[in-house]
Amino acid sequence: MICHIQIVAIIGLMSRCIAWPDDPVPRLPIKHLREVIGQRFLGNESHVEHFKLLERAPTFILIGARNAIYNISLHDLTEIADQRIQWSSSIAHWELCNLKGASEDDCQNYVRVFGRQGPDKFLACGTNAYKPQCKQFVLKNGVHVGGKESDGLGLCPCAPQHNSTAVFAGGQLYAATFADFSGGEPLIHRKKIRTDRADLNQLNGPNFVSSFAYGDYVFFFYRETAVEYMNCGKAVYSRVARVCQHDKGGPHAFNDRWTSFLKARLNCSVPGEYPFYFNEIQSMSDVTEGFYAGRHDQLIYGVFTTPVNSIGGSAVCAFSMSSVLEVFQGAFKEQETINSNWLRVLPEKVPEPRPGACVNDSRTLPDITVNFVKTHPLMDDAVQSFFALPVITKVSFNYRFTRVAIDPQVKALDGRTYDILYIGTDDGRVLKALNTKAPDSLSEVGQIIVSDSQVLRYGQAVKDLQVVHLAGEASKLVVIADSEIRAVPLHHCDSPAVNSCVTCVALQDPHCAWDATTDLCVAVPTKLHANDASKTLFQDIINGKHKGCGYEEASQHHPYNTQLSL
Ligand SMILES: *[C@@H]1O[C@H](CO)[C@@H](O)[C@H](O)[C@H]1NC(C)=O
Ligand SMILES: *[C@@H]1O[C@H](CO)[C@@H](O)[C@H](O)[C@H]1NC(C)=O
Ligand SMILES: *[C@@H]1O[C@H](CO)[C@@H](O)[C@H](O)[C@H]1NC(C)=O
Ligand SMILES: *[C@@H]1O[C@H](CO)[C@@H](O)[C@H](O)[C@H]1NC(C)=O
Ligand SMILES: *[C@@H]1O[C@H](CO)[C@@H](O)[C@H](O)[C@H]1NC(C)=O
C-alpha cells in the first residue's frame, strides 16, 4: 500500500503505514458555495450571539442566544413572528457582574439549557451575567411567558465558552457543567445528586461535549486528563460516562452522591503495532440505527481529534450502543497504591450487589457497594469502535473536525443502504462522507469524502449540524455557528463541475446518479426507486465506475484518485 507523505512525516514509523487508510481526497471541492439556498439567520448582528440549539421540532428549532430564545422556521430559516422570547439579566445581576470586572459581553444572559416539560411548557437556563438562572416558560394566549425562576448553578455554565452539556429526561434536568465561575469545579449533576467535589478519579479537568438519555440511563461524553495514564507527561482520553435515571443517591452520608456513576474510555484509533489514537472527543451524534454487514445495530458516531498542539488529525469513529452497555457490565479498573499500575479488578473482589447497577432504591444499598463504586468509577475495558477503523480520518494543517450529523441508511440504486456523514470543521467547512464498505464488512472501511464545501465565512467553527427532511421540500443541512445559521443542500449532483457520466458516478454519492436519457447528473429520490430507473440511471457506490459511462480514457483510473498516490 502506498503511504501518504504527510502521514509518514507525522508518525515516522513505517510499520503504521500498513494499516493507515489513504487520506481521502474530496471528490468535489467547493470553494464558495454558490449553490447555497440563500437561507440564513444572523440574529442580532451587533454582537456575538453564541447560538445554541435548544430544541429540534419537526418544523422549527429553538435557538438559545444572547438575552433571547429565537424560534426559527425550518422551512426557510426565518424567525417565526412574535415568538421571540427576550430574557436579559436583571439590573442587579448585571451591576454585580460589572463590579467583579467582567466584560460587557460576559455580563449578559446566554441561554444554554432547555428541557421540555409538556406541549406548552418548558424550562430554560442561562448564564445570567455569571449567576446562572433557570426559568419556567408557559404558553399563554399564543406566546410564551416567563414564570418561576430558580438557581441555575450546577445546571448551566457561567459563561458561553464553557464546554457543558445538559439533557432533560424523566422530568429532570441532568447536566455536566461547572459549579463555579472559573470552570474549575466540574460536576455531573441532577437535582440533589452529584459527582464528588475534587475527586480526580471521577472527573479530571473535563470538557463535556454531549449527553442523551437511553433506556434507564443518561450517558455523558467528554474528554479529560487520564488518571490511568502512567507514562511521563499527561494524556487526555475520551470518555463515555453513565448514571441511572432512578438513582436516588446512597445511604447515610452518600445521600447526595451518585451510586451509579461509571465511565469508560472510548477508543478511536488506527490499528497497528503502535495504534494511532485520536484521543480528544469533540462531539457525539444521536443514536441511529441500521444494518451493517447484515447485522442490525444502534450506532453513535463521534468526532475525535489529536491534541491542539500537534498536527491536525481528525477522525469519525462509530460505536455500537450494545458494546457501550457491555463495557459497563465488565471488569473495573483500580490502582492499589499511588505508584502502582492500574489493573483489572478480579471478579472475587467486586462486592454484591454489583456496584453501579441500576436498582429500585439506591438508598438501601450496602455501604460496601456504594464505597466501591465511588472509588472505582473507571471500567477496565475501553469501548472499541464498531468498524475496525475510523469511518473517516483526515490529516490537515488547516482545520479539525468539530461535529458530525448522520443521515442514516440512505438507499443507493443497488438497494444497499449507507449512513451519510456530514462533518463540520473549525474553519467553516462541511464534508460529506461515507463508508462504502459498511453494508458488507465490519473489518474493512471504504473512506469516501464526496464533497468539501466552505459553508461559513472562513474561520467560523461549525458548532452544530442538523439534517432536515420536510415533506414536499428539498432536504437540507442546517449548519449552526456562533453568530450564523445556514441551510445548504444535502448534495451537489447539479454542480457545474459534475458534467459527465464519469465525474458523476465517481462521486460515489448515493444521492446522485447519471441520467443517460438527459445526460445530466441528477439527484435520485432515494425513497422511490422505480425498478426500471436503474436502466437509465448510472451509479456505483463501491468503485465509482459504471460501464454505462463507456470506456473513456478517464474511466481507466478513478478521476478523483489521480492526485492521491505519491
Ligand atoms: C441588538 O442588540 C442591541 C444590544 O446589544 C440592542 O440595542 C438592539 O436593539 C438589538 N437589535 C435588534 C434588532 O434586536
Ligand atoms: C415556535 O413556533 C412554533 C410554530 O409556530 C410554535 O408551535 C411554538 O409554540 C413556538 N414556540 C415555542 C417555544 O415552541
Ligand atoms: C471547549 O472546546 C473547544 C473545542 O474543542 C476548545 O477549543 C475550547 O478550548 C474548550 N473550552 C474550554 C474553556 O476549555
Ligand atoms: C484501541 O484499538 C486498537 C485498534 O485500533 C487496539 O489495537 C488497541 O489495543 C485498543 N486500545 C485499547 C486501550 O483498548
Ligand atoms: C422494582 O420495582 C418494580 C415496580 O416498581 C418491581 O416490579 C420490581 O420487582 C422491583 N425490583 C426489585 C429488585 O425490587
Side-chain angles (χ1 to χ4, degrees), residues 55 59-60 62 71 80 83 85 116 122 139 144:
E55 183 180 51
T59 59
F60 64 90
L62 295 182
N71 191 340
I80 294 170
Q83 289 292 332
I85 296 170
R116 184 164 287 284
F122 64 83
L139 190 62
H144 284 84

Side-chain angles (χ1 to χ4, degrees), residues 167-307:
V167 59
F168 201 67
Q172 306 237 53
L173 200 52
Y174 294 77
T177 184
F178 303 89
D180 64 338
F181 306 119
S182 61
E185 191 196 325
L187 81 171
I188 291 182
H189 173 230
R190 187 194 69 201
K191 205 173 178 182
K192 294 206 184 84
I193 303 180
R194 55 168 294 170
T195 45
D196 265 315
R197 242 177 223 101
D199 179 350
L200 299 184
N201 277 330
Q202 287 193 333
L203 295 171
N204 191 357
N207 266 281
F208 300 109
V209 302
S210 72
S211 51
F212 56 73
Y214 181 88
D216 278 348
Y217 307 106
V218 174
F219 286 98
F220 297 91
F221 298 88
Y222 56 98
R223 54 183 193 271
E224 66 173 352
T225 306
V227 280
E228 73 272 34
Y229 180 78
M230 293 296 285
N231 298 334
C232 49
K234 70 170 198 173
V236 167
Y237 285 174
S238 297
R239 304 287 196 203
V240 51
R242 51 133 258 219
V243 295
C244 299
Q245 289 193 33
H246 295 104
D247 196 333
K248 296 189 170 86
H252 330 300
F254 297 115
N255 68 354
D256 60 349
R257 295 291 185 262
W258 298 108
T259 65
S260 59
F261 174 81
L262 296 177
K263 64 179 179 181
R265 183 179 179 188
L266 290 168
N267 181 355
C268 180
S269 59
V270 176
E273 195 182 340
Y274 303 94
F276 184 86
Y277 288 97
F278 296 90
N279 269 333
E280 304 206 359
I281 189 171
Q282 302 296 333
S283 66
M284 188 54 89
S285 75
D286 294 332
V287 180
T288 68
E289 30 191 307
F291 283 89
Y292 310 93
R295 161 176 159 193
H296 177 259
D297 255 298
Q298 289 186 317
L299 299 191
I300 48 178
Y301 287 83
V303 166
F304 295 80
T305 64
T306 53

Side-chain angles (χ1 to χ4, degrees), residues 201 227-230 237 239 262-265 327 330-336 341-346 350 354 372-373 375-382:
N201 277 330
V227 280
E228 73 272 34
Y229 180 78
M230 293 296 285
Y237 285 174
R239 304 287 196 203
L262 296 177
K263 64 179 179 181
R265 183 179 179 188
V327 164
F332 298 91
K333 213 182 194 67
E334 75 174 353
Q335 185 187 36
E336 255 183 88
N341 275 326
W342 285 78
L343 298 170
R344 183 177 274 264
V345 179
L346 298 172
V350 178
R354 184 181 160 85
F372 185 94
V373 72
T375 50
H376 298 80
L378 181 61
M379 306 315 296
D380 190 48
D381 288 326

Side-chain angles (χ1 to χ4, degrees), residues 39-89:
Q39 297 179 353
R40 113 180 155 147
F41 176 76
L42 298 173
N44 186 329
E45 290 175 74
S46 68
H47 50 241
V48 178
E49 290 269 31
H50 290 288
F51 286 145
K52 169 100 177 171
L53 178 66
L54 299 179
E55 183 180 51
R56 161 86 189 267
T59 59
F60 64 90
I61 45 177
L62 295 182
I63 299 288
R66 172 161 149 155
N67 304 325
I69 298 173
Y70 295 111
N71 191 340
I72 312 289
S73 163
L74 283 174
H75 296 292
D76 54 8
L77 292 195
T78 56
E79 190 177 358
I80 294 170
D82 306 322
Q83 289 292 332
R84 185 185 306 176
I85 296 170
Q86 300 281 5
W87 179 18
S88 302
S89 314

